[in-house]
Amino acid sequence: QLSPDLGLLIGTAGNVTTGFVVISGIKSSTFPAFYFPMENIESSVNVHPLHDMSLQAFTLCFWTKAQHAGSQTVISYSTQERDNELVVTVGTDVGLWIGGHFISFPLYHKAQDWLHYCLAWASQSGMANLWLNGAAGKAKSIQKGYVSQAGGTLVLGKDRDTLLGTFSNGFAGWMTHVNLWSQVLSPADVRALALTEQNLAQSNTLHCHIPPRSWI
């Protein structure tokens, strides 16, 4: 069983509801998820890291089902010095910001379907990759030698402007099983997360308990 090593406590869930969803596959699983309503632009979830967000590598995985095809923010980490310290968006493509630099990966599926995403990056090589439903895409280069800054603000479902204190580019739809590791997972581990429903249901993830709590 994979246990994410960056612990997070879920704080304010502003205008976001929790419910149960079913993802059908080899084995259907039912588990809690956050629902971000399309009609409420204030929907977001504040996340409080229990560990330093100074990262030299990471793997971020999550399930989402968006309600529209436009670009929308899944996770946003910003500091006083930089808004786009770590940002991931989904839509017609998958966008990744690291330290203010941006790359995008093509998305050959509809974001409105249930999709499992894993984004991995290593500072040493500067290479980032997107895994979609357990299948790897073509790696791209971004921010070789960079280390993300600690002490920032982490939000699900919105892109945060630190200077103005405003939110934009909101996510609309369902989000669940958000995991963050401070290392690059092996291809076998990523495939297991995407394809083995039992692993998803039992892993230490953002399960949206009430009160919500997670170990990411």
Side-chain angles (χ1 to χ4, degrees):
Q1 176 178 321
L2 291 170
S3 296
D5 55 7
L6 290 177
L8 302 182
L9 286 177
I10 305 303
T12 305
N15 298 309
V16 176
T17 59
T18 57
F20 287 85
V21 297
V22 176
I23 294 180
S24 297
I26 298 173
K27 248 186 199 180
S28 294
S29 293
T30 303
F31 44 78
F34 281 133
Y35 174 63
F36 299 79
M38 184 182 297
E39 63 275 9
N40 195 324
I41 61 173
E42 300 299 323
S43 300
S44 64
V45 176
N46 296 330
V47 184
H48 307 290
L50 298 178
H51 298 282
D52 199 329
M53 283 289 289
S54 179
L55 301 174
Q56 299 184 46
F58 69 82
T59 304
L60 172 69
C61 299
F62 54 89
W63 284 92
T64 60
K65 182 178 182 180
Q67 288 187 310
H68 63 84
S71 177
Q72 47 201 305
T73 301
V74 173
I75 189 168
S76 171
Y77 177 66
S78 59
T79 66
Q80 289 296 326
E81 292 76 25
R82 185 175 288 114
D83 289 333
N84 298 318
E85 189 64 25
L86 173 58
V87 179
V88 173
T89 62
V90 298
T92 54
D93 58 10
V94 179
L96 173 64
W97 291 86
I98 298 176
H101 289 238
F102 177 76
I103 57 173
S104 63
F105 299 90
L107 182 62
Y108 300 114
H109 296 70
K110 291 183 178 180
Q112 300 97 311
D113 296 333
W114 272 113
L115 296 175
H116 182 262
Y117 303 79
C118 278
L119 285 150
W121 169 79
S123 174
Q124 184 175 7
S125 64
M127 300 308 292
N129 205 347
L130 168 68
W131 295 75
L132 191 65
N133 292 342
K138 184 178 180 180
K140 295 190 175 185
S141 178
I142 181 173
Q143 286 290 62
K144 182 177 181 179
Y146 186 75
V147 179
S148 65
Q149 300 177 12
T153 300
L154 187 58
V155 178
L156 299 181
K158 285 288 181 294
D159 190 9
R160 188 175 193 273
D161 186 310
T162 304
L163 182 62
L164 299 177
T166 57
F167 297 91
S168 61
N169 200 29
F171 178 80
W174 293 94
M175 183 188 307
T176 190
H177 287 90
V178 182
N179 298 269
L180 180 63
W181 291 263
S182 58
Q183 60 184 312
V184 175
L185 297 185
S186 71
D189 286 338
V190 173
R191 285 193 293 268
L193 285 169
L195 301 177
T196 307
E197 303 291 346
Q198 184 177 0
N199 283 358
L200 284 169
Q202 295 177 353
S203 64
N204 285 329
T205 61
L206 193 158
H207 274 317
C208 315
H209 295 303
I210 301 175
R213 181 185 177 195
S214 87
W215 296 97
I216 276 191

